[in-house]
Amino acid sequence: MWGELGARLDLERGVIAGAPVVRRGLSDLRGCFADAAAYDAALALGDPPLYTVSSVEAGGGGGDLHYGLGVLYPGRIGDEYFMTKGHLHSRREAAEVYIGLRGEGCMLLEDEMTGECRIEPLGAGRVVYVPGHAAHRTINTGDVALVYIGVYPADAGHDYGAIAERNFRMAVVEREGRAVMVARDERNIQQ
Ligand code: PAN
Ligand code: ZN
């Protein structure tokens, strides 16, 4: 017997109705932002919410899919835009499809095998395919919440360890009003 197959996107509250919600605040992203002084200064003023994800994780079989609705708020730490922690999938070959619903931003992708880095625009009307072996992080470069859905294999798993240890090589920062990708090391030297 099939269980529940449909769900309501409650875009007012930014959740999938009835689905569990994970909330991440600034304090959860220690070590992610390149400008450590700006991070500490912002955290001293409070611990603002950065994003929420509500997930539907029904079946757990090899062919099953899970999906989540992400809401990433606008803002910056120094010149670096608010972003998600980012991860690889535990089963590295597991890909994912991101569907943008509202707002403006991008995905930062980094191939674990080749080191290739790329930013792909994500926002209303954009879909991004995240290949296997690609570390992925979502970034809000706009003024309103970036809302998106990610669909991934049920057995993908989330591996945060590698990114927590070495972070992404690139950072997405604001330069003269525009979002640009710069090398994280370069970004640190400019401090
Ligand atoms: C997404 C992410 C979501 C939050 O549903 O989990 O954007 O990002 P972090 O998990 O990196 O905090 C996804 O990629 N799932 O696989
Ligand atoms: Zn993922």
Side-chain angles (χ1 to χ4, degrees):
M1 271 295 269
W2 285 326
E4 197 61 64
L5 297 179
R8 188 171 62 85
L9 298 182
D10 183 346
L11 294 179
E12 289 309 309
R13 293 176 53 234
V15 295
I16 300 170
V21 183
V22 172
R23 295 169 200 282
R24 303 271 184 227
L26 188 58
S27 62
D28 296 309
L29 272 79
R30 180 165 292 284
C32 293
F33 292 96
D35 187 340
Y39 176 84
D40 288 339
L43 203 54
L45 298 175
D47 188 7
L50 294 197
Y51 61 96
T52 62
V53 186
S54 61
S55 306
V56 175
E57 302 188 329
D64 283 312
L65 296 172
H66 289 172
Y67 61 95
L69 177 75
V71 177
L72 174 58
Y73 301 113
R76 287 199 314 259
I77 297 298
D79 58 9
E80 194 172 6
Y81 296 99
F82 279 8
M83 59 197 179
T84 58
K85 278 185 170 189
H87 60 267
L88 283 149
H89 292 147
S90 309
R91 188 165 71 78
R92 291 293 197 263
E93 57 270 41
E96 181 161 0
V97 172
Y98 273 69
I99 303 156
L101 299 180
R102 272 189 190 170
E104 194 185 331
C106 61
M107 298 204 63
L108 179 60
L109 305 176
E110 183 176 314
D111 190 318
E112 190 185 36
M113 317 272 273
T114 64
E116 180 179 351
C117 299
R118 193 183 290 194
I119 44 177
E120 277 295 331
L122 176 71
R126 294 277 315 174
V127 175
V128 177
Y129 182 78
V130 178
H133 298 274
H136 44 288
R137 164 175 278 168
T138 313
I139 298 163
N140 187 339
T141 59
D143 299 326
V144 299
L146 174 62
V147 183
Y148 57 91
I149 289 178
V151 185
Y152 48 97
D155 61 357
H158 292 82
D159 177 3
Y160 293 97
I163 290 302
E165 214 167 276
R166 57 170 168 75
N167 212 336
F168 285 73
R169 293 183 194 184
M170 309 300 281
V172 177
V173 299
E174 193 256 4
R175 291 281 152 81
E176 291 164 2
R178 293 189 53 230
V180 295
M181 183 170 79
V182 297
R184 183 166 297 279
D185 295 346
E186 234 170 74
R187 171 71 190 63
N188 286 332
I189 291 161
Q190 282 174 7
Q191 286 302 298

